[in-house]
Amino acid sequence: MASILAPDRLGPTVCVGEILVEIVATTVGDGFKEAQPLVGPYPSGAPAIFISQCGRLGGSSAMVGAVGDDDFGRVNTDRLKRDGVDVSTIAIDSDYPTGSAFVRYRKDGSRDFVYNIATSAAARFGWSDNVRRLIERTGHLHVMGSALSVPSAREVIDQAVDIVKARGGSLSVDPNIRKELKLDAATERRFATLVAAADLLLPSGEELERAAGVEGEANAIRRLFEIGVKEIVLKRGADGATYFDKDGNRIDAPAFIVEEVDPTGAGDCFGGAYLTCRRLGMSPEESLTYASAAGARNVTVRGPMEGAGTRQELDAFISSTERRS
Ligand code: ATP
Ligand code: MG
């Protein structure tokens, strides 16, 4: 089956958006109203987690974003560099600190956050000569819905989509937007345009219906193919994932059985692994296996991208871990 995604040799996978550190409460409870044990900083931000997994799997990859001139920034750039990601388009802001997210889980699995993104370096970058030179040699652009609420990321993504597509590159979109979240009209339109232009869509749960604008899984899948999407992989957490293509093919990938320590980042690792395997020439089925392993492995380790695996680590995980049936 010919891949609908541009091959790795066309140029790197590029992800644009927020780069953060995450600081995690080690106990479960209600938020941050009293002093408590915390652990971190961990490198984070959905686009950064995604690109970390791409790099670790040996895909050519680069990140566009910004960090402050501080240790929180260095935690991120050092990690991505180690993962093999090109960090030369991560700007270093001398005036603003690196973005951060404090997170504490509640008993019911929901989370309380204290964010500093909009008023941090994470939101202060944009189109530059340096970024343009990268985009002109980019093979694939991956867009995280969460980045669309960051104006600087929007500016880069808007220009990058056309340039990458014009040179034969491909586009993937992870909606990464909760169903309840209301976007302003302009962002909603931009989101719809990106979805329609996506070669690969990577929704999770209800995001599928939200992206399609219709109710029901089958209806949503049909609508998305009608408007131009070429391949869809639906993420279902511990219930696994499903691949759909325009020709009516469907592959169900059962989840690996693991003990979940920290669910953050599963979807981003899953997506980064799936995309990278496809761009490296693997079949949907084989790519799904690596993606499922990447998502499952990541939830066994505390920290948003601490469990992202190399090819070797994922092979070891796959051969030693049972799957649901
Ligand atoms: P996130 O919560 O990071 O936004 P997401 O909602 O986009 O993630 P999920 O469906 O939670 O994505 O996870 C992606 C994939 O990772 C799943 O389809 C599954 O293959 C794997 N995965 C996630 N959680 C688990 C788990 N608890 N056990 C096994 N596999 C898991
Ligand atoms: Mg999830």
Side-chain angles (χ1 to χ4, degrees):
M1 191 183 317
S3 180
I4 49 105
L5 298 170
D8 194 77
R9 64 174 181 278
L10 186 69
T13 295
V14 170
C15 205
V16 180
E18 67 280 11
I19 302 172
L20 313 173
V21 289
E22 190 164 305
I23 293 155
V24 190
T26 59
T27 58
V28 168
D30 296 336
F32 292 102
K33 284 178 231 148
E34 65 255 347
Q36 57 186 276
L38 303 164
V39 57
Y42 293 112
S44 189
I49 302 169
F50 182 96
I51 209 70
S52 159
Q53 180 62 77
C54 293
R56 283 200 187 192
L57 257 180
S60 157
S61 45
M63 175 82 204
V64 177
V67 294
D69 187 8
D70 51 32
D71 284 347
F72 285 1
R74 287 183 276 277
V75 159
N76 275 288
T77 49
D78 289 353
R79 163 59 60 86
L80 292 180
K81 230 185 283 178
R82 217 160 53 230
D83 292 342
V85 176
D86 177 353
V87 298
S88 61
T89 44
I90 297 180
I92 296 172
D93 192 316
S94 49
D95 297 326
Y96 281 66
T98 299
S100 60
F102 288 73
V103 56
R104 188 181 192 190
Y105 282 89
R106 290 181 177 240
K107 266 207 214 86
D108 64 5
S110 67
R111 296 175 278 191
D112 286 303
F113 284 103
V114 177
Y115 282 121
N116 174 26
I117 301 177
T119 53
S120 78
R124 286 166 46 91
F125 61 97
W127 192 253
S128 64
D129 283 347
N130 198 17
V131 170
R132 180 181 47 75
R133 278 192 294 275
L134 169 67
I135 298 300
E136 283 171 355
R137 61 181 182 84
T138 293
H140 182 93
L141 181 70
H142 177 73
V143 175
M144 281 290 176
S146 57
L148 295 181
S149 52
V150 179
S152 51
R154 280 205 300 265
E155 182 203 353
V156 174
I157 290 165
D158 278 354
Q159 304 200 54
V161 170
D162 294 337
I163 297 172
V164 172
K165 285 250 169 179
R167 68 184 299 271
S170 43
L171 173 71
S172 53
V173 175
D174 181 337
N176 207 15
I177 295 173
R178 270 165 288 142
K179 203 180 184 183
E180 317 78 58
L181 196 74
K182 275 264 169 281
L183 300 175
D184 60 73
T187 308
E188 196 70 66
R189 266 200 306 280
R190 184 179 271 106
F191 177 63
T193 306
L194 281 166
V195 166
D199 299 289
L200 168 65
L201 193 68
L202 291 157
S204 160
E206 305 173 316
E207 291 166 0
L208 173 74
E209 286 154 279
R210 193 186 200 283
V214 297
E215 298 284 319
E217 186 174 306
N219 290 335
I221 296 286
R222 196 175 324 113
R223 168 68 61 87
L224 287 165
F225 287 136
E226 275 165 17
I227 62 175
V229 177
K230 305 211 176 72
E231 187 169 309
I232 300 169
V233 180
L234 176 62
K235 296 170 279 178
R236 308 178 195 268
D239 292 326
T242 308
Y243 160 95
F244 302 89
D245 70 20
K246 283 201 305 195
D247 305 324
N249 297 306
R250 171 190 175 125
I251 306 168
D252 286 298
F256 287 90
I257 300 170
V258 293
E259 197 193 325
E260 186 175 288
V261 174
D262 180 356
T264 305
D268 309 326
C269 286
F270 178 99
Y274 183 79
L275 174 79
T276 298
C277 290
R278 294 289 279 135
R279 291 200 68 209
L280 289 171
M282 291 184 207
S283 67
E285 192 159 19
E286 196 180 2
S287 304
L288 272 177
T289 301
Y290 278 110
S292 304
R297 186 177 189 277
N298 196 56
V299 306
T300 64
V301 186
R302 177 141 48 201
M305 63 171 93
E306 298 312 297
T310 60
R311 176 83 181 256
Q312 215 178 359
E313 287 166 340
L314 294 182
D315 281 332
F317 177 90
I318 291 165
S319 59
S320 65
T321 314
E322 300 277 326
R323 298 180 80 164
R324 285 166 204 266
S325 41

